[in-house]
Amino acid sequence: MSQQPISLPAKLINGGIAGIVGVTCVFPIDLAKTRLQNQRQGHQVYKNMMDCLIKTVRSEGYFGMYRGAAVNLTLVTPEKAIKLAANDLFRHHLAKDGKLTVFKEMLAGCGAGMCQVVITTPMEMLKIQLQDAGRLAAQQRKPGLMSPSKLGATTTVLSRSYTASPAPGRAISATQIARELLQQQGIQGLYRGLGATLMRDVPFSVVYFPLFAHLHHLGQSNGTTPFYWSFVAGCLAGSTAAVAVNPCDVVKTRLQSLSRGSNEESYKGVVDCVSKIMQREGPSAFLKGAGCRALVIAPLFGIAQVMYVLGVGEFILGQTPFNLLSA
């Protein structure tokens, strides 16, 4: 990828299309991941991913699996576009000094991860509130998980992510959450969990991009790589990086969740969050949702890399012909 001429508009189109297609396909699994990661010991509503999805459909309907999808679909275009285009740009400029070493590949990935959090942090912040609302509502309905003395206080929290409840019959939306966060906390409200997001996304990019580049190179024949091999390489690199940084994703999810059920602790920051999880739930808690996250990230980045290799953005802009067989 780094040897191809850089066309920023085409890269942005590729990243945007890949993000929309990928999120639409895997969002229900991402919802299950968020709900599983937010569960505490003794307050489990879901046993595993399939149990979560089945219970979600039963209690919230089919579209309940897509709670928070609107904000993700809106912001995933600039997020994926920034991430993938930034990595290509960094690789392109670092390669000018000579051979692109593994260290330089990791450096390019680091730069890409740092760039994307501008969009990723508020997107994840809003998405998590909507995704986790169903878990809190299910926890309220399940006998024995909530003490009667705290039921009234928690009901108010369940109706929205914080403070007062919305009008009866109206579901809280990402726009309402964003507006009230801005009014009450300013721009920093939308960037809650920024440190944890950097802890997750920078290492992810450092692992993912060099690994993908080397796996992609293995499939080359006569200077070209079939699109299906790009998909496989993207899936393998994405799932590997996703599992590697899952502990950081658990911390980020906990910090960005504004609503909490009865007896669910709050956290002051990254260190406090890690400490409390270790003490109360043990090391295994940091692997919650790892399987779901791998299932989300693998096709998401597989699709993204296919878009890049096929040159969909370049084709749309009339820069290159569309070639389904190779890149």
Side-chain angles (χ1 to χ4, degrees):
M1 294 189 302
S2 60
Q3 284 75 30
Q4 297 175 356
I6 295 295
S7 171
L8 185 57
K11 298 297 182 187
L12 295 177
I13 291 172
N14 286 332
I17 294 175
I20 291 172
V21 174
V23 166
T24 302
C25 294
V26 302
F27 192 84
I29 304 175
D30 186 60
L31 179 138
K33 181 218 69 160
T34 297
R35 294 186 177 183
L36 290 172
Q37 286 182 339
N38 263 331
Q39 289 192 140
R40 274 63 159 182
Q41 281 187 344
H43 298 269
Q44 285 92 345
V45 178
Y46 312 110
K47 298 176 182 177
N48 50 47
M49 181 186 73
M50 287 306 301
D51 183 55
C52 179
L53 294 177
I54 291 170
K55 288 180 178 176
T56 298
V57 172
R58 286 176 178 172
S59 61
E60 303 170 53
Y62 174 79
F63 290 105
M65 294 191 298
Y66 283 87
R67 294 186 71 164
V71 66
N72 224 34
L73 288 170
T74 301
L75 296 179
V76 75
T77 297
E79 189 231 15
K80 284 292 176 286
I82 289 172
K83 184 185 188 81
L84 297 172
N87 177 70
D88 267 7
L89 287 170
F90 285 129
R91 288 174 65 91
H92 178 75
H93 288 292
L94 288 170
K96 287 182 177 179
D97 297 330
K99 183 180 179 181
L100 194 63
T101 62
V102 174
F103 175 75
K104 287 184 178 180
E105 290 179 334
M106 295 173 69
L107 193 61
C110 178
M114 294 184 70
C115 289
Q116 78 168 89
V117 297
V118 175
I119 302 295
T120 304
T121 305
M123 178 183 75
E124 293 273 309
M125 179 71 182
L126 298 175
K127 180 194 71 173
I128 284 171
Q129 314 316 314
L130 299 173
Q131 285 184 327
D132 201 40
R135 178 189 69 88
L136 293 170
Q139 187 187 78
Q140 179 184 354
R141 292 191 300 266
K142 191 170 182 179
L145 284 186
M146 303 190 72
S147 60
S149 61
K150 297 187 178 183
L151 185 58
T154 310
T155 302
T156 302
V157 178
L158 291 177
S159 63
R160 68 192 309 152
S161 294
Y162 40 77
T163 65
S165 59
R170 293 183 59 191
I172 192 73
S173 69
T175 303
Q176 289 173 286
I177 296 173
R179 182 168 58 246
E180 293 189 15
L181 277 172
L182 288 171
Q183 290 174 351
Q184 296 175 17
Q185 303 177 29
I187 190 67
Q188 65 266 29
L190 286 175
Y191 281 86
R192 177 172 174 165
L194 174 62
T197 305
L198 280 167
M199 283 175 54
R200 181 196 69 172
D201 289 344
V202 171
F204 176 92
S205 296
V206 167
V207 173
Y208 171 78
F209 285 110
L211 181 57
F212 169 79
H214 288 274
L215 289 173
H216 189 258
H217 180 74
L218 292 176
Q220 282 189 351
S221 177
N222 298 323
T224 62
T225 305
F227 77 93
Y228 59 81
W229 183 260
S230 298
F231 177 79
V232 171
C235 287
L236 290 174
S239 58
T240 301
V243 173
V245 302
N246 194 74
C248 298
D249 190 53
V250 172
V251 173
K252 182 199 72 67
T253 299
R254 295 283 183 94
L255 288 174
Q256 289 187 320
S257 296
L258 299 174
S259 301
R260 308 191 193 283
S262 176
N263 299 322
E264 290 185 355
E265 68 282 348
S266 58
Y267 308 105
K268 297 177 182 178
V270 172
V271 176
D272 182 55
C273 182
V274 172
S275 176
K276 286 180 178 177
I277 291 174
M278 281 290 293
Q279 290 175 3
R280 301 177 186 182
E281 302 173 59
S284 62
F286 291 104
L287 294 178
K288 285 183 176 181
C292 292
R293 181 162 166 76
L295 289 174
V296 168
I297 297 297
L300 192 60
F301 279 87
I303 292 168
Q305 297 299 347
V306 167
M307 295 294 173
Y308 262 55
V309 170
L310 293 180
V312 175
E314 289 82 355
F315 172 73
I316 291 174
L317 295 176
Q319 296 174 357
T320 60
F322 188 71
N323 188 353
L324 187 62
L325 297 178
S326 61

